[in-house]
């Protein structure tokens, strides 16, 4: 069944079959995950991977995440280790991405991982993503389904806004529950968080029982893809703001400023997971309303707040 947009599809058995068929042919589709919507293509296929970079306008040096149904599939392509097993058992499928060494005979196309010897792998939890991954015999290279450096999409309509009819199929799976991208953790040597997410440092520390390095506070990212300007709604953003200025959109936590069209609470109860889930949706909404600037109050630097701070800092960056 089609929605009012000709390339947005409601998920049915028939659409599942069609999605699989087009993916096998090397066509890209946008599918929902629990974090954000992805732009999916066969990670083993050169032409599919090339199409992803081209469509997103993504620099070739920024590697993609390769998505699998489970560890059995993934271990064909990457060398797994103890830390991975521990985290996988606890958090996968779910919003966490692991950087591991690529196996010598891995079929992942080198362009997918920007010719690095490492690969980022993830096991998404969303029912639709899982039902697709279960039925194909290749993993999906899948960045967020947005033009490079824009805000990631959290519903099918957002994907449509980014690419219009340039994607053959956008599978509608409702709003992404997590609402920000997965935690990226490098497990090659000492565990190190390259991109903070909803699964935060303290949760990971509990499982690994070791110190975890974290790359959230400073903006110098080692990961090649950690471009500074990112997640940007396309209007200026100022963070750590104490008070509204009367004309700009003001993003805050709590319910202090009810009934004012300039004010946007990310969570009435100041719940940081809820705030993360509402962040990108709020950015898009504010942009659509025609505001010229966004002010954001200080967001506590704890739990999911670490990831929120990371995203707003980069959205606010103009470099
Ligand atoms: O939640 C998510 O992770 C979403 C959904 C669709 O799964 N995907 C996503 O992909 O956010 P993308 O391409 O927007 O972000 C991938 C991040 C980039 O920052 C990239 O640099 C990093 O993962 N990455 C990928 N491969 C890497 C590698 N081998 N070493 C270090 N960083 C890597
Ligand atoms: Mg992205």
């Amino acid at each position: 069944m089609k929605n009012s947009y000709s390339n947005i599809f409601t998920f049915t058995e028939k659409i599942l079959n069609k999605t699989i068929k087009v993916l096998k042919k090397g066509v890209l589709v946008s599918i929902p995950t629990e974090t954000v919507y992805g732009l999916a293509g066969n990670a083993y296929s050169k032409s599919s991977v090339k199409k992803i970079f081209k469509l997103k306008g993504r620099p070739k040096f920024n590697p993609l995440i390769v998505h699998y149904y489970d560890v059995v599939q993934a271990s064909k392509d990457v060398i797994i280790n103890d830390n991975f097993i521990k985290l996988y058992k606890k958090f996968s499928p779910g919003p966490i991405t692991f950087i591991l060494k690529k196996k010598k005979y891995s079929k992942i196309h080198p362009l997918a991982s920007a010719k690095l010897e490492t690969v980022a792998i993830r096991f998404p939890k969303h029912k639709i993503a899982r039902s697709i991954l279960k039925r194909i015999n290749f993993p999906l290279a899948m960045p967020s389904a947005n033009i490079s450096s824009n805000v990631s999409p959290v519903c099918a309509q957002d994907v449509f806004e980014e690419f219009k009819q340039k994607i053959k199929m956008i599978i509608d799976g409702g709003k992404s529950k997590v609402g920000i991208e997965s935690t990226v953790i490098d497990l090659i040597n000492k565990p190190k968080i390259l991109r903070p997410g909803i699964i935060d440092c303290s949760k990971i520390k509990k499982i690994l029982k070791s110190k975890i390095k974290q790359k959230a506070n400073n903006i110098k990212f080692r990961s090649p893809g950690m471009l500074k300007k990112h997640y940007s709604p396309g209007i200026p953003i100022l963070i750590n703001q104490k008070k509204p200025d009367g004309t700009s959109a003001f993003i805050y936590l709590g319910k202090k400023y009810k009934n004012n069209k300039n004010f946007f609470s990310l969570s009435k109860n100041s719940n940081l997971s809820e705030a993360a889930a509402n962040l990108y949706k709020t950015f898009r909404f504010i942009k659509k309303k025609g505001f010229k600037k966004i002010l954001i109050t200080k967001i506590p630097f704890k739990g999911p707040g670490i990831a929120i701070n990371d995203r707003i800092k980069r959205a606010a960056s103009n470099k």
Side-chain angles (χ1 to χ4, degrees), residues 32-37 91-97 122-127 151-155 158 173-184 195-200 203 266-267 271-282 303-305 307-308 311:
T33 86
E34 73 281 14
T35 56
V36 299
Y37 273 61
F91 299 119
S92 297
I96 183 163
T97 295
R122 183 164 106 78
F123 309 87
K125 194 176 188 161
H126 196 289
K127 207 172 80 221
V151 174
S152 296
V154 293
C155 65
D158 291 352
K175 188 180 168 293
S176 294
K177 287 207 175 75
V178 175
I180 56 168
E181 305 79 356
S182 62
T183 305
V184 177
R195 179 174 73 185
I198 207 85
I199 297 178
D200 63 70
K203 287 184 186 152
L266 292 179
S267 166
N271 175 297
L272 292 172
S273 297
E274 187 185 22
N278 286 330
L279 183 67
Y280 292 157
K281 203 179 71 175
T282 305
I308 299 174
R311 303 309 192 274

Side-chain angles (χ1 to χ4, degrees), residues 11 16 32-34 69 124-133:
F11 192 66
L16 172 63
T33 86
E34 73 281 14
Y69 180 72
K125 194 176 188 161
H126 196 289
K127 207 172 80 221
I128 295 179
R130 278 184 73 70
S131 56
I132 295 166
L133 286 165

Side-chain angles (χ1 to χ4, degrees), residues 227-230 314 316-319:
L227 302 170
K228 196 172 159 189
K229 184 173 164 20
H230 223 107
R314 287 199 256 164
S317 158
N318 50 16
K319 287 189 194 108

Side-chain angles (χ1 to χ4, degrees), residues 234-245:
I235 50 175
I237 295 183
L238 297 177
I239 57 174
N240 298 329
Q241 296 299 297
K242 292 211 171 68
K243 51 180 196 305
D245 68 2

Side-chain angles (χ1 to χ4, degrees), residues 108-224:
I108 295 171
H109 196 276
L111 289 177
S113 47
K115 298 185 180 163
L116 297 170
E117 283 169 9
T118 59
V119 191
I121 65 164
R122 183 164 106 78
F123 309 87
K125 194 176 188 161
H126 196 289
K127 207 172 80 221
I128 295 179
R130 278 184 73 70
S131 56
I132 295 166
L133 286 165
K134 198 176 178 177
R135 294 262 307 270
I136 51 181
N137 57 3
F138 50 85
L140 294 175
M142 183 159 64
S144 48
N146 51 277
I147 307 283
S148 202
S149 94
N150 280 5
V151 174
S152 296
V154 293
C155 65
Q157 178 66 37
D158 291 352
V159 180
F160 184 83
E161 274 173 29
E162 290 289 316
F163 295 108
K164 305 286 187 302
Q165 305 283 350
K166 287 184 194 152
I167 302 180
K168 193 179 162 80
M169 296 176 80
I170 301 170
I171 314 299
D172 191 348
K175 188 180 168 293
S176 294
K177 287 207 175 75
V178 175
I180 56 168
E181 305 79 356
S182 62
T183 305
V184 177
I185 184 162
D186 185 340
L187 296 175
I188 307 277
N189 297 309
K190 282 200 182 122
K192 184 185 204 168
I193 295 176
L194 301 180
R195 179 174 73 185
I198 207 85
I199 297 178
D200 63 70
C201 197
S202 65
K203 287 184 186 152
I204 293 172
K205 210 161 139 189
K206 253 188 220 154
I207 304 301
L208 297 186
K209 298 184 177 70
S210 66
K211 239 185 140 190
I212 312 294
K213 289 190 188 167
Q214 163 121 302
K215 289 260 123 185
N217 219 350
N218 72 34
I219 276 291
K220 270 192 258 140
F221 291 93
R222 231 197 63 220
S223 168

